[in-house]
Amino acid sequence: MLVSRHVQRALTCRGKTTIYCLKLSRNVTTVPTYNQFVSHDVLVPPRERYPAETRHNSTSTSQKWADWNIVIGIEMHAQLKTRRKLFSDSLVPEDMFVGSNERITLFDAAFPGTLPTLNSTCVSLAIRAALALQAEIQSRSAFDRKHYFYGDLPVGYQITQNYAPFARNGHVNLPKSRKQVRIKQVQIEQDTAKSFSSGSERTEYDLNRAGMALLEIVSQPDMTSPEEAGEYVKTLQTILRSVGVSDGMMEAGSLRCDVNVSIHRDGEPLGTRTEIKNLNSVRSVVLATRAEVSRQISLLTSTPSSQAIIQQTLTFDEDAVQVIPLRTKEGVEDYRYMPDPNLPNILIGPKQVDEVRHNMIRQGTASGNSKNGFKFGIDAIRDRLYRLLDIPNDGKSPGVDGITRDIEILMQLDAGKSVGWDGEAVSGAVEFFENAIGGTGADHTHLTSRRDPKTVLNWMIHEMLGQLAFRKVPFSQSRMTAQMLGEIIDAVESGKITSTNGKYLLRHLLDLEVTKIPRFRKIEAESTASSGFSISDLIEELGLSKSSSVPELDSWCEQAMEELPTAVQSVQSGKASVIMALVGRVMRISKGKADAVLAKETLLRKIEDLNGTGT
């Protein structure tokens, strides 16, 4: 229930007056999404901008701390990309421009008598995540109350899953480290409010985030270096985005990490564990972990006793690159976990899992079958592209290195697309590529193609993306359609226009897009109509059709030979490669209309005739 009024409640928290300014409103303002202002387009992943002193790989770090064994475990909190909160009907704030306390219900504000109602979409997304992590989805999971008193929890406890989590025993493969990190458990829980300090005696809370659905992914302590921890976070972020579970925007707070660190020497028991809270970037994870390891080593070196390290919660000051103690870390008994009496158990059967898996296959985020096994997320997309381009699963075969590199660029570009709400599919670079080929079925299982996939991939990566980058236009903002690119490729492959003029036509369309938007949109709209404007019409309008006139070709070749007599003499003396300079001049003279193959043959014949006449 939403009401239009202001509610103020004053509480005393740790000796300070905490003011809740809750603005409850029915109004839902439609504003641009955060993804429209942040470009995720990446052709090649940018290098992490670490300070110079921190640019070490895992090996150099291990050598620096050679006498110590580092043990790292990570608790990842990922906001599920759902339109509504976990236990209430409130819409979630879809971006950072929603006003404070505008997306809350009485339940979110902990009004007495309000009860939680589970959002079933959150369960479906949790199934997706568990499948992608190769985790064992539990047939029964239950919600518990985790008690602690803090201003960002109005009700005094967080609803989570402690005794019976949603999934167990998954894993994440780290491609760079070639290491597998085990997942202990995956659990569904609610998020807390945001706090804002506006003075030494006043803290304000925004309950927009309170009650949003979180997926907590708890790893086993399998990581042994800060770099592995950073790679794990980045890999997990990519997995969750690729299956449409979370947008994974760490800087916006939708993905946060708590890193647990301990150290010990060979032959000694595990050290005392500390926890660094709320790290919101891969960079912070690496730097904070490194800072905490250095701190613990310094303490144990100066005071060689297990008492030197206190089990406590820390925060990370990124500017100072140091960790700061917050409080002594609570144990499980301090939270007084108890089953939540207002929520029933979650019962998951094989049929529900199969439905989610089939939906993922239909969207292209899963592939395979029960006999040969399933792949999810980026692995499924890579598998589909490899089959489409006839590349072995291991990507190792003579002559395919260039294609596999193009596939990785395509997938990196696709990874930058926005994540749809409630698991909805969103078009990206991979779908653009498949549409340009023109033969992929709606369920991504029938991979028959109308155009040659390798030719389309080459045009898309090396021509289209290169021209977009030159114009500083992100792929997601380009209005160039897959059908337009496909028609250009058709015109080149059919011999209607030359490859040179095909590239010119592509540049012309992109220039129209940048400088003459109304004209481009007319072409875009009419290119799909059976009787409207088409790429073929534009070819005729611009006069780009390949010339089939023999007299014209003879004339262009003779002109080229007259303009480059030195090149002609070089060919006559046996330097056959110089003929391409003459072919290039013919293409320039003809403005791309000449057939390069026929031009080469004509030039060679004419030069041979000159040799025969002794000229």
Side-chain angles (χ1 to χ4, degrees):
M1 173 180 173
L2 297 175
V3 295
S4 299
R5 63 181 178 179
H6 293 272
V7 182
Q8 289 190 344
R9 184 193 304 173
L11 298 175
T12 302
C13 178
R14 298 187 180 182
K16 294 185 178 181
T17 300
T18 303
I19 305 297
Y20 286 88
C21 301
L22 310 184
K23 180 182 178 184
L24 307 181
S25 173
R26 288 183 178 273
N27 297 327
V28 178
T29 307
T30 302
V31 295
T33 63
Y34 184 76
N35 281 309
Q36 289 178 275
F37 293 89
V38 180
S39 173
H40 294 281
D41 291 341
V42 183
L43 292 183
V44 178
R47 184 179 182 182
E48 292 286 355
R49 295 177 176 83
Y50 300 143
E53 66 273 12
T54 67
R55 290 182 190 150
H56 303 297
N57 57 30
S58 183
T59 302
S60 62
T61 301
S62 300
Q63 292 172 349
K64 178 181 178 182
W65 299 323
D67 296 335
W68 298 92
N69 296 319
I70 303 168
V71 181
I72 302 170
I74 295 179
E75 300 170 10
M76 175 84 80
H77 300 85
Q79 283 184 358
L80 297 179
K81 192 69 181 288
T82 57
R83 288 188 173 90
R84 298 189 181 276
K85 294 185 179 182
L86 181 57
F87 296 121
S88 74
D89 289 333
S90 173
L91 291 171
V92 303
E94 64 271 19
D95 52 52
M96 59 185 179
F97 302 111
V98 176
S100 298
N101 297 308
E102 288 189 357
R103 301 291 170 86
I104 58 176
T105 63
L106 296 180
F107 174 79
D108 302 323
F111 272 58
T114 57
L115 295 173
T117 302
L118 180 62
N119 181 352
S120 60
T121 303
C122 299
V123 178
S124 297
L125 293 184
I127 293 175
R128 283 191 181 209
L131 289 172
L133 296 173
Q134 305 294 325
E136 301 169 1
I137 299 173
Q138 304 299 292
S139 59
R140 184 194 74 84
S141 59
F143 289 103
D144 306 301
R145 292 181 178 181
K146 178 182 179 181
H147 294 85
Y148 63 93
F149 184 73
Y150 199 71
D152 59 6
L153 263 183
V155 74
Y157 60 83
Q158 179 188 31
I159 301 177
T160 182
Q161 293 182 311
N162 181 61
Y163 298 117
F166 186 80
R168 300 178 186 268
N169 303 327
H171 65 264
V172 172
N173 294 316
L174 307 185
K176 183 178 179 180
S177 302
R178 299 183 180 276
K179 185 174 186 176
Q180 186 177 95
V181 176
R182 295 170 298 160
I183 300 297
K184 178 183 178 182
Q185 64 187 48
V186 178
Q187 57 198 53
I188 304 171
E189 61 185 27
Q190 63 180 171
D191 207 346
T192 59
K194 285 184 178 180
S195 61
F196 302 92
S197 296
S198 56
S200 59
E201 298 297 325
R202 180 182 175 89
T203 300
E204 296 183 352
Y205 292 92
D206 177 9
L207 297 187
N208 281 344
R209 196 179 72 179
M212 289 181 64
L214 285 181
L215 204 65
E216 181 174 355
I217 302 170
V218 183
S219 80
Q220 295 284 10
D222 290 344
M223 288 155 279
T224 58
S225 73
E227 290 74 23
E228 283 184 3
E231 185 183 1
Y232 168 80
V233 171
K234 184 65 177 175
T235 303
L236 191 51
Q237 178 190 42
T238 302
I239 291 172
L240 296 178
R241 285 184 55 84
S242 67
V243 294
V245 169
S246 172
D247 60 25
M249 293 192 295
M250 300 188 73
E251 289 76 6
S254 59
L255 195 67
R256 308 187 294 276
C257 302
D258 299 338
V259 179
N260 294 273
V261 182
S262 70
I263 62 173
H264 66 279
R265 297 181 189 274
D266 288 337
E268 296 180 353
L270 293 176
T272 303
R273 173 172 58 95
T274 59
E275 182 180 34
I276 313 169
K277 297 287 288 187
N278 294 327
L279 300 174
N280 62 355
S281 71
V282 176
R283 178 177 185 269
S284 294
V285 168
V286 175
L287 295 181
T289 306
R290 187 176 292 137
E292 175 57 10
V293 170
S294 296
R295 186 185 75 89
Q296 291 191 22
I297 290 176
S298 177
L299 286 173
L300 291 177
T301 302
S302 58
T303 308
S305 168
S306 59
Q307 303 297 324
I309 305 298
I310 302 173
Q311 185 172 343
Q312 58 187 347
T313 299
L314 311 162
T315 187
F316 178 58
D317 185 337
E318 191 166 339
D319 293 332
V321 195
Q322 66 180 11
V323 291
I324 303 171
L326 287 177
R327 58 184 180 271
T328 301
K329 183 170 175 57
E330 297 87 350
V332 174
E333 64 279 357
D334 297 322
Y335 291 123
R336 305 188 312 282
Y337 283 102
M338 61 167 282
D340 193 304
N342 296 326
L343 287 165
N345 294 336
I346 300 176
L347 302 179
I348 303 294
K351 183 178 179 181
Q352 291 171 279
V353 177
D354 289 340
E355 287 177 354
V356 172
R357 187 187 291 116
H358 177 74
N359 187 45
M360 294 175 70
I361 292 174
R362 183 180 59 81
Q363 292 183 349
T365 56
S367 64
N369 51 58
S370 56
K371 180 180 179 180
N372 300 318
F374 293 93
K375 294 182 179 181
F376 300 93
I378 54 176
D379 291 334
I381 296 170
R382 182 180 290 107
D383 178 66
R384 192 169 75 248
L385 292 174
Y386 274 27
R387 286 188 287 120
L388 189 59
L389 290 155
D390 195 25
I391 294 176
N393 288 334
D394 60 4
K396 296 178 181 178
S397 182
V400 301
D401 288 347
I403 299 176
T404 55
R405 282 195 298 269
D406 290 348
I407 289 175
E408 292 305 313
I409 292 174
L410 182 66
M411 291 180 61
Q412 290 165 11
L413 188 67
D414 189 71
K417 69 184 180 183
S418 61
V419 176
W421 293 100
D422 295 335
E424 296 173 351
V426 176
S427 298
V430 170
E431 185 171 340
F432 183 100
F433 168 66
E434 291 173 334
N435 289 339
I437 292 171
T440 303
D443 59 357
H444 295 274
T445 57
H446 305 292
L447 299 177
T448 57
S449 57
R450 183 166 65 88
R451 300 183 180 98
D452 177 43
K454 295 178 182 178
T455 300
V456 174
L457 183 65
N458 183 68
W459 271 87
M460 183 176 174
I461 299 297
H462 298 282
E463 302 300 336
M464 179 181 169
L465 295 185
Q467 292 299 326
L468 287 173
F470 175 75
R471 290 162 177 77
K472 298 181 180 180
V473 176
F475 177 82
S476 61
Q477 296 179 17
S478 172
R479 297 182 64 88
M480 172 70 69
T481 65
Q483 181 172 340
M484 289 180 182
L485 181 62
E487 289 184 12
I488 293 174
I489 295 171
D490 288 343
V492 173
E493 293 298 306
S494 66
K496 184 173 183 178
I497 61 175
T498 63
S499 176
T500 300
N501 275 352
K503 296 173 184 178
Y504 171 80
L505 182 57
L506 177 63
R507 294 195 301 270
H508 179 77
L509 284 170
L510 293 177
D511 286 337
L512 283 176
E513 176 183 357
V514 173
T515 60
K516 301 176 182 178
I517 294 296
R519 167 65 167 157
F520 179 85
R521 288 181 179 171
K522 182 179 188 317
I523 296 174
E524 177 189 19
E526 294 182 348
S527 65
T528 58
S530 58
S531 58
F533 194 93
S534 67
I535 294 296
S536 297
D537 296 326
L538 186 59
I539 290 172
E540 296 300 326
E541 179 182 303
L542 297 175
L544 300 178
S545 297
K546 184 189 294 186
S547 173
S548 58
S549 170
V550 175
E552 269 190 321
L553 182 59
D554 283 341
S555 175
W556 292 331
C557 289
E558 290 173 0
Q559 183 177 345
M561 292 169 65
E562 291 176 0
E563 293 179 1
L564 298 175
T566 306
V568 173
Q569 293 173 3
S570 296
V571 174
Q572 286 178 318
S573 64
K575 297 180 181 178
S577 61
V578 181
I579 192 66
M580 298 312 299
L582 290 165
V583 173
R585 181 56 63 95
V586 170
M587 299 304 295
R588 179 179 176 182
I589 294 170
S590 66
K591 297 181 179 179
K593 293 182 180 180
D595 186 311
V597 176
L598 292 178
K600 181 179 178 181
E601 294 175 355
T602 303
L603 286 166
L604 288 173
R605 176 172 50 80
K606 289 183 174 293
I607 292 174
E608 187 177 347
D609 291 342
L610 289 176
N611 290 336
T613 60
T615 306

